[in-house]
Amino acid sequence: MKRTTLFTLLVTLPALAGAASMSPSERVAKAIDAMGGPALQQLRTLSVKAKTKHWEPNQSFQPGGEMRFAADSTFTDRRDLASGAARIDWVKDLKYPSVRTYRYSEIVSGGVGYVSGIDSGGRTQQSLGSNPPEHTMSGARLAATARELQRTSPALLLEMASNPKRLQAVPDQAVGSRKLPAVRYKAAAATFLVTFDPSSGLPERVRTRDYDALYGDTN
């Protein structure tokens, strides 16, 4: 019985060691291959349609209760990956703090961002007076929007592969009930933590940190 157990360990441990010893660059290369390899490198434009739900994380109907539901949204995201230009058309059905529908577009190009349409109840008279109503993004909103565009772009992996010195190995990360291999990538404007499915090699989560008024820097 002891011999059988020892033999099993001798066979299994090298395989586990090989998976754990994969370098950040090798893990990124595997993910690129899983996403299409050369086909991914030829990708120039992207169009995404999606539905989103929004909650207020620091509000509930009772202490310690579920987060208060705030809105349903649909959006269409169109991007030119080569130039970094993007347009996101939103339809947001707000349920809280008031009930109304916002229709607006976020446009980012050449390091500049602006909003066409009404995206909140706090718009100035100047922005409301234009036709259509529009306003420039604040610096904080532009930075956050640019970061999210990069975080959700399939081209992020290509950028990671082109900058191996910015990659760093990190311990396996908890994703639900699983522990997944991960790498850290320091981009120009943000640091991303990318976890990967160990079987397919596909990216599983792309995480970053943001400032929260109550909690400080938060995942």
Side-chain angles (χ1 to χ4, degrees):
M1 185 66 181
K2 290 182 179 179
R3 290 180 181 176
T4 303
T5 303
L6 179 59
F7 178 76
T8 303
L9 289 173
L10 289 173
V11 171
T12 305
L13 287 177
L16 294 175
S21 63
M22 185 178 292
S23 71
S25 293
E26 290 172 334
R27 203 168 290 285
V28 171
K30 182 179 178 180
I32 291 175
D33 287 340
M35 293 180 68
L40 180 62
Q41 298 177 23
Q42 298 301 316
L43 188 62
R44 294 292 180 268
T45 60
L46 178 70
S47 180
V48 177
K49 292 184 177 182
K51 295 180 179 180
T52 306
K53 291 183 178 293
H54 309 260
W55 286 267
E56 288 289 349
N58 297 309
Q59 296 192 33
S60 63
F61 287 104
Q62 58 187 15
E66 295 183 359
M67 294 183 292
R68 187 164 189 169
F69 183 68
D72 284 305
S73 295
T74 59
F75 68 85
T76 301
D77 178 358
R78 300 179 180 89
R79 307 189 203 181
D80 183 325
L81 298 177
S83 67
R87 177 188 177 104
I88 309 171
D89 297 319
W90 287 91
V91 178
K92 182 176 290 186
D93 290 320
L94 200 69
K95 313 298 183 185
Y96 171 81
S98 60
V99 178
R100 64 172 299 175
T101 298
Y102 292 113
R103 289 180 171 83
Y104 61 95
S105 300
E106 295 177 305
I107 297 95
V108 175
S109 180
V112 177
Y114 74 96
V115 177
S116 177
I118 299 176
D119 60 339
S120 79
R123 294 273 57 87
T124 64
Q125 187 60 42
Q126 181 179 3
S127 67
L128 294 175
S130 60
N131 187 19
E134 60 184 18
H135 64 93
T136 56
M137 290 184 182
S138 68
R141 179 171 180 175
L142 176 60
T145 301
R147 181 200 65 206
E148 289 303 290
L149 288 170
Q150 185 179 23
R151 189 170 72 91
T152 56
S153 172
L156 175 61
L157 286 171
L158 299 176
E159 180 182 331
M160 293 167 67
S162 299
N163 296 278
K165 292 183 178 180
R166 296 184 182 180
L167 291 173
Q168 180 184 359
V170 295
D172 290 355
Q173 301 293 305
V175 177
S177 60
R178 298 185 295 163
K179 285 278 193 175
L180 299 183
V183 302
R184 179 179 287 116
Y185 175 64
K186 187 172 179 57
T191 297
F192 300 103
L193 190 69
V194 185
T195 66
F196 301 88
D197 180 271
S199 299
S200 67
L202 289 168
E204 183 88 7
R205 296 284 191 279
V206 183
R207 295 170 170 168
T208 188
R209 311 257 306 161
D210 200 359
Y211 172 74
D212 182 90
L214 296 178
Y215 301 110
D217 288 344
T218 305
N219 288 325

